[in-house]
Amino acid sequence: MPRLPRKPQVELELTDPEPFPAGLHYLPGYFDETAQGALVADVRQLLVEAPLFKQSMPKSGAPLSVRMSNAGDFGWVTDREGGYRYQTVHPVTGKRWPPIPTVFLDLWQGVTSEIEPPNMCLINFYDAGARLGLHQDKGESSLEAPVVSVSLGDEATFSVGGMVRKDPVRRLRLRSGDVVWFGGPSRLIFHGVEGIRPGTSPLLEEHGFAASGRINITLRRIGR
Ligand code: SIN
Ligand code: FE2
């Protein structure tokens, strides 16, 4: 991948002449307001069965600011004792994760040419102070299959780096209904969320959430 110039504080917009690295796809406004409402309703239902929970870092036990839950055969879990892992049950309720809603499966089908459906779906909830450090989606997830993600609710500053941590980072403002997916040569691209802009979207509160915030849904395949 070509080295990209560092552009601190400058957010990449559609008009930015810098092309995305091969394999990284940004689909702004993929879901309209009606579709976003349907997605949030599905997430809310899902969170009744599998409530958001606090994760913590391996070894240090430092808490993650993003609260999470999962759907599908496997869920991503991390804590001090067990480290990063995929497991079939919710760490608090002990119950299996609920199935991945059909609209998410349709999204995967719609944007990728994968024959196999995703078997894990991570739900991230960002409140005003939440952020997610630069990371690669590794572990036991299949590197052949892409990673597909949807943003709902408040805007976020998404950072995209390169294949090594120290590569320069570009910033992309993700809005409700936007889809980002990466695979092939970008499957292991470093990415993270620097923060959200609280109150920039009424979507979550309109659909029964107590406060505004941002939901990100990530679909992957775990190859076991
Ligand atoms: C993630 O990388 O797990 C989430 C990305 C996002 O929230 O947009
Ligand atoms: Fe990620």
Side-chain angles (χ1 to χ4, degrees):
M1 202 192 79
R3 290 209 144 232
L4 302 165
R6 191 181 285 271
K7 286 196 213 164
Q9 306 315 321
V10 177
E11 286 172 11
L12 195 72
E13 291 292 342
L14 262 184
T15 50
D16 195 299
E18 198 77 63
F20 283 120
L24 173 67
H25 311 266
Y26 167 46
L27 311 174
Y30 185 88
F31 290 107
D32 66 16
E33 268 179 44
T34 309
Q36 291 169 39
L39 288 166
V40 176
D42 274 350
V43 172
R44 220 174 110 72
Q45 188 57 46
L46 206 154
L47 295 180
V48 172
E49 276 184 73
L52 291 167
F53 61 96
K54 276 268 179 204
Q55 307 253 46
S56 47
M57 295 291 285
K59 298 195 184 92
S60 73
L64 267 58
S65 55
V66 181
R67 284 183 297 146
M68 301 185 182
S69 189
N70 292 278
D73 296 338
F74 301 100
W76 187 74
V77 171
T78 171
D79 54 30
R80 185 204 297 259
E81 299 76 25
Y84 299 137
R85 62 194 182 274
Y86 289 97
Q87 65 179 46
T88 56
V89 296
H90 191 291
V92 179
T93 67
K95 291 198 288 189
R96 289 190 77 95
W97 306 107
I100 301 177
T102 311
V103 277
F104 304 173
L105 300 175
D106 291 347
L107 163 66
W108 174 275
Q109 280 294 312
V111 300
T112 76
S113 50
E114 294 296 308
I115 294 159
E116 295 286 324
N119 57 4
M120 82 85 65
C121 172
L122 175 67
I123 317 285
N124 288 330
F125 185 88
Y126 299 78
D127 59 19
R131 56 188 302 282
L132 193 64
L134 214 57
H135 66 277
Q136 293 170 296
D137 287 3
K138 272 210 294 222
E140 298 156 87
S141 60
S142 163
L143 298 184
E144 274 89 65
V147 176
V148 177
S149 89
V150 195
S151 295
L152 295 167
D154 287 339
E155 293 175 12
T157 305
F158 185 69
S159 40
V160 187
M163 292 304 147
V164 291
R165 186 174 289 280
K166 65 175 178 14
D167 278 343
V169 164
R170 289 198 289 175
R171 293 176 178 82
L172 183 64
R173 185 184 300 201
L174 292 184
R175 298 182 175 88
S176 196
D178 291 355
V179 168
V180 171
W181 70 282
F182 45 95
S186 283
R187 176 62 181 75
L188 287 178
I189 203 160
F190 273 90
H191 60 282
V193 174
E194 292 185 9
I196 69 161
R197 291 182 171 77
T200 45
S201 165
L203 184 73
L204 268 49
E205 284 168 299
E206 280 172 6
H207 289 85
F209 282 81
S212 82
R214 172 177 184 260
I215 290 169
N216 172 264
I217 298 156
T218 300
L219 301 162
R220 287 196 279 259
R221 268 205 74 76
I222 309 304
R224 270 196 202 157

